Amino acid sequence: MTVDTSKPARYRRHIPRGTRLRRHDPDREGSLVTASSQDAADRELRVRRRQTGAPGVIVLELDDPDGAELPPWEPGAHLDLALPGGLDRQYSLCGDPADRTSYTIAVLREPQSRGGSAWVHQKLTTGGRVRLREVRNLFPLAPAEHYVFVAGGIGITPILPMLAAATAAGSSWELHYGGRSRRSMAFLDDLVAEGDSVVRIYPQDEVGILPVADLVGTPREGALVYACGPGPLLDAVQEQASRWPEGSVHIERFAPAEVGAPVWDGAFEVELAYSGLTVTVEPGESVLETIEAAGISCLSSCQDGTCGTCETPVLEGEVDHRDSILTEAERALHDKMFICVSRAACPKLVVGL
């Protein structure tokens, strides 16, 4: 296929003011870094391990071996940890953001683990070390008069610090937390202590699945919805909350949402503005794979559009967004993409690599 590289006017885009650009750092073997993560990148942290009372879930408290303060974070943030064998994995922070001495995460042993959770459960013991890549927040808590929190299973982890933040801000909130059984639900004792006026527990073996239609089916003035958990729960939240005002519903996924066929079904070009290269992405190949095959190293992890590691600025062109991170308003800007899954919706993209 011959690609038109003339760049019609409707494909032209300027770098938006405030865009966070990734750049090549020649001192780090061609890897990509972001200004927001420079102070957190590549720290070795010491591990203290404890149980949560829920089978298959462990809590890790991570601190600097030399006692140094850790970079700050806000509710909704997660850590990128570098595990052996080239595995990078993301875990939501669930401790106190005011505590700069340690990070707290909870890790579920996934039955279909690709290696990350299995290694953490089997190998990462108290006194061990793990390398921190980055602290990032793709699920920030926006100001609101009232919050409706919906969590399923290990999806409770990013919600926990949000509860305290909402209280500190003087906002009212309600939490609806579902799981297979009470025994399987991490942090349950602490949450129940908040009282059933704000925390509602839905063990599936006792009451069935979360009644999503009742919880978010009707928009509420001044309220925001925050949801995290398994895919079917989040799909239901998105469907039932479709009548809420734009920007009212915030979702974090641990697994990718279903997407349809690509918008542009042929090959397309990607120009790397800072590297001076132009590559052709064929059908069936990802932008990330094609760029790496050309010898350009890119940070990536999940390969399914959920972690945000491969976020890349888009300088020109229209993007076929296929990730599970961006909101519809963010997608409409076409100023960034996650190159492990997203593609072009036009003959050519120009990206900030």
Side-chain angles (χ1 to χ4, degrees), residues 11-157:
Y11 294 140
R12 291 185 188 135
R13 294 201 176 270
H14 300 291
I15 304 174
R17 181 173 297 175
T19 296
R20 185 183 68 184
L21 298 182
R22 295 183 176 226
R23 62 177 177 81
H24 280 287
D25 184 344
D27 295 326
R28 295 186 62 208
E29 299 180 354
S31 62
L32 300 177
V33 296
T34 65
S36 64
S37 67
Q38 294 255 356
D39 60 348
D42 292 330
R43 284 177 179 242
E44 188 174 69
L45 301 180
R46 180 175 54 194
V47 176
R48 185 164 73 89
R49 174 171 168 157
R50 59 183 173 87
Q51 301 299 318
T52 64
V57 180
I58 58 170
V59 170
L60 302 180
E61 295 176 353
L62 311 173
D63 64 14
D64 188 291
D66 298 322
E69 277 196 342
L70 298 176
W73 62 279
E74 296 181 349
H78 67 258
L79 303 181
D80 285 13
L81 297 182
L83 307 182
L87 297 176
D88 280 7
R89 292 293 182 264
Q90 296 73 40
Y91 300 104
S92 296
L93 284 158
C94 56
D96 179 3
D99 181 5
R100 298 286 298 279
T101 65
S102 68
Y103 293 142
T104 301
I105 61 174
V107 182
L108 170 68
R109 173 65 187 267
E110 295 280 1
Q112 305 300 321
S113 172
R114 293 179 295 174
S117 71
W119 185 88
V120 169
H121 275 253
Q122 294 170 6
K123 304 293 186 182
L124 198 54
T125 57
T126 295
R129 304 294 174 94
V130 66
R131 185 160 293 280
L132 170 67
R133 290 285 193 210
E134 189 175 6
V135 182
R136 288 179 294 128
N137 198 343
L138 303 176
F139 193 44
L141 186 67
E145 297 175 9
H146 182 78
Y147 296 96
V148 180
F149 296 112
V150 181
I154 199 63
I156 190 63
T157 51

